Amino acid sequence: MRFQGKVAIVTGAGKGIGKAIIQKFAQEGALVTVADIHNQLCEETAFEINRAGGRAIASVVDVTKAEDTEKLIEKTVQAYGRVDILINNAGIVRDMKITDMHEDDWDQVLDVCLKGAFLCAKYAAPYMIEQQYGKIVNISSRAYLGNPGQANYSSAKAGIIGLTRSLAKELGKHNINVNAIAPGLIETDALKSHAKYEKIKELQKRDTPIPRVGLPEDVANAVLFFASDESSYISGDILHVSGGRFG
């Protein structure tokens, strides 16, 4: 198992892409912390992992708050003795035209998607520096290239790319790799519950070289590659998981 004995934190891990990521880490031998703002989802995911023979703890966290993210890292270190891998996956959307977008819609998306990644990295980095080893994977989105109706989300995900490249340059000398994943359209429960899901799926098939909607497991597989020692000489990079669609 690739991650036997390694310690991994995944934010937004209660459902969707985050849950797929943390389950794969646990299956590959990692000791994991399930971090999510929703207590029930957090506890349920940790329970499922432990029931399947893995080892998981749950940590309810609001990634926009410094005290919460600091406690998340400290709780993980207290439980497992170290932190090797941080996956910044927590995110929200507030899609609307710029003329309808309120300041709060902007602030919430930037705070969760971008500030949250900054805070988690800030408090995890000292432990990684001390042990001279670490992997940080930030979940961006193909939306960083710009999407109509997503000025806030696209800006946040573009910010993730800048954060990733800055941290890669800053932390590389400590044997810490920092990379980003940019998923395209992924078939989460939120997408499947969308009123226009079938139409969205058909458009995706038409416009994507690999004609299907992506799966959470597709993203999880890419994340595990960046978190593994197989990618030890890759840092500051972006891996698109979008079926070949970039525009």
Side-chain angles (χ1 to χ4, degrees):
M1 291 190 284
R2 283 186 290 174
F3 298 97
Q4 189 69 46
K6 290 286 195 292
V7 176
I9 300 170
V10 182
T11 66
K15 62 179 180 179
I17 292 171
K19 185 173 182 177
I21 293 169
I22 206 161
Q23 287 177 325
K24 278 195 174 287
F25 271 121
Q27 290 163 8
E28 290 271 9
L31 313 174
V32 300
T33 299
V34 182
D36 202 285
I37 196 169
H38 300 289
N39 180 60
Q40 184 176 348
L41 293 175
C42 206
E43 294 288 349
E44 286 176 354
T45 299
F47 175 78
E48 290 173 16
I49 290 170
N50 288 319
R51 184 177 58 185
R55 185 175 172 191
I57 60 171
S59 185
V60 178
V61 59
D62 180 345
V63 297
T64 70
K65 296 180 179 178
E67 59 269 28
D68 273 26
T69 54
E70 186 174 20
K71 287 177 183 176
L72 166 65
I73 306 303
E74 289 176 350
K75 182 176 181 178
T76 300
V77 173
Q78 287 169 4
Y80 300 130
R82 57 190 290 124
V83 55
D84 300 299
I85 300 161
L86 169 65
I87 313 301
N88 285 311
N89 169 71
I92 60 170
V93 293
R94 294 286 186 273
D95 295 352
M96 63 193 72
K97 296 177 181 178
I98 190 69
T99 50
D100 298 324
M101 189 175 292
H102 297 288
E103 185 177 356
D104 188 54
D105 298 316
W106 175 273
D107 288 345
Q108 285 186 19
V109 172
L110 269 289
D111 280 355
V112 175
C113 295
L114 184 55
K115 182 183 177 183
F118 152 70
L119 286 173
C120 289
K122 170 182 170 63
Y123 291 113
Y127 293 100
M128 294 180 175
I129 290 170
E130 183 179 0
Q131 67 201 24
Q132 289 292 290
Y133 180 89
K135 306 282 187 178
I136 299 174
V137 184
N138 298 318
I139 305 301
S140 180
S141 167
R142 191 190 62 81
Y144 84 89
L145 296 166
N147 276 338
Q150 287 192 316
N152 47 8
Y153 188 72
S154 292
S155 296
K157 293 304 186 178
I160 286 287
I161 302 302
L163 176 67
T164 298
R165 288 177 168 162
S166 294
L167 293 182
K169 292 181 178 181
E170 183 175 330
L171 300 175
K173 63 185 177 183
H174 301 292
N175 194 34
I176 300 169
N177 302 74
V178 188
N179 289 291
I181 304 292
L185 190 66
I186 304 298
E187 194 171 49
T188 60
D189 289 339
L191 176 63
K192 287 188 284 188
S193 65
H194 194 286
K196 297 182 179 179
Y197 167 65
E198 291 299 330
K199 183 177 180 180
I200 291 170
K201 187 165 67 171
E202 288 307 310
L203 289 173
Q204 176 76 0
K205 290 180 179 180
R206 186 194 70 187
D207 297 337
T208 306
I210 298 176
R212 67 173 175 86
V213 177
L215 302 175
E217 290 74 19
D218 294 320
V219 180
N221 289 332
V223 169
L224 264 66
F225 169 68
F226 270 155
S228 75
D229 290 332
E230 296 163 8
S231 61
S232 62
Y233 200 55
I234 303 173
S235 200
D237 218 334
I238 311 161
L239 179 55
H240 294 82
V241 183
S242 60
R245 182 182 176 193
F246 299 98

